[in-house]
């Protein structure tokens, strides 16, 4: 588990975030460029290492009903990815978008989630917004996911 100071250092790499102290030595990190009323990306980062990142309704994360995911046990890479995703989520302008249909959600024993999406002519595997792999057939994509230890979510 990353320490409070390590998490602060990682979050501090995001120049678009502003640190604001709150009660009990906790800190919030705001994204002033948010296209929504919600500006807090990292919420209630506590000296014990606990804290939350706002991911809204992003399917890649198991967020609570307020759109928050707990980052207490996140690795450096996971923390960076979730903050990048949160900033991207809050940066989106309400414009008509091409519809993306998620065909399947796959999870491994650690409850990590990958999404299998058909985007003609390819079958793409995503972790959050990041393209992991691309395949010509669904069968090849499914074989890859099984080899990596993932099973289709129910």
């Amino acid at each position: 588990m990353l320490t409070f100071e390590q998490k602060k250092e990682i979050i501090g790499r995001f120049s678009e975030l502003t640190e604001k102290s709150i009660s009990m030595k906790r800190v919030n990190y705001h994204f002033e460029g948010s296209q929504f009323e919600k500006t807090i990306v990292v919420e209630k980062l506590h000296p014990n290492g606990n804290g939350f990142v706002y991911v809204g309704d992003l399917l890649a994360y198991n967020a609570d009903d307020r759109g928050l995911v707990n980052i207490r046990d996140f690795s450096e890479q996971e923390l960076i990815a979730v903050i990048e995703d949160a900033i991207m989520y809050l940066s989106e302008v309400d414009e008509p978008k091409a519809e993306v249909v998620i065909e399947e959600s796959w999870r491994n024993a650690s409850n990590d989630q990958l999404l299998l999406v058909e985007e003609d002519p390819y079958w793409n595997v995503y972790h959050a917004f990041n393209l992991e792999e691309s395949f010509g057939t669904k069968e090849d994509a499914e074989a890859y996911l099984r080899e990596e230890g993932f099973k289709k979510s129910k």
Side-chain angles (χ1 to χ4, degrees):
M1 180 175 86
L2 297 169
T3 67
F4 176 66
E5 292 303 323
Q6 289 170 320
K7 287 179 181 171
K8 283 182 66 173
E9 186 275 322
I10 293 165
I11 297 165
R13 297 178 198 166
F14 291 88
S15 60
E16 57 267 67
L17 298 181
T18 305
E19 181 180 327
K20 295 187 181 181
S21 295
I22 58 174
S23 63
M24 301 186 316
K25 299 181 182 177
R26 297 175 302 172
V27 292
N28 285 344
Y29 289 86
H30 292 256
F31 174 50
E32 301 304 331
S34 176
Q35 298 299 310
F36 305 92
E37 281 186 42
K38 179 74 173 172
T39 64
I40 299 174
V41 171
V42 180
E43 187 170 311
K44 299 175 186 160
L45 182 63
H46 192 277
N48 70 7
N50 202 23
F52 303 90
V53 172
Y54 180 75
V55 294
D57 58 3
L58 291 176
L59 295 175
Y61 299 97
N62 189 17
D64 65 15
D65 59 346
R66 298 171 297 154
L68 299 172
V69 64
N70 191 302
I71 59 168
R72 180 181 187 99
D73 297 321
F74 274 33
S75 67
E76 179 176 357
Q77 295 79 16
E78 290 170 322
L79 183 57
I80 290 169
V82 73
I83 292 170
E84 287 173 344
D85 291 345
I87 291 171
M88 186 181 314
Y89 180 81
L90 291 171
S91 298
E92 291 182 0
V93 179
D94 255 355
E95 295 176 358
K97 301 175 192 155
E99 184 175 331
V100 174
V101 177
I102 297 172
E103 295 294 327
E104 297 171 350
S105 171
W106 291 65
R107 290 192 182 271
N108 65 9
S110 301
N111 208 29
D112 298 319
Q113 181 183 37
L114 294 179
L115 303 174
L116 179 58
V117 180
E118 181 183 14
E119 296 173 311
D120 283 336
Y122 303 104
W123 286 87
N124 295 324
V125 177
Y126 287 93
H127 176 262
F129 291 115
N130 300 317
L131 178 64
E132 290 289 320
E133 293 287 339
S134 189
F135 300 90
T137 67
K138 183 176 184 182
E139 292 75 23
D140 289 343
E142 288 176 338
Y144 165 79
L145 288 163
R146 282 191 294 276
E147 288 171 14
E148 294 298 317
F150 286 80
K151 293 182 180 177
K152 197 181 306 186
S153 299
K154 296 180 182 186

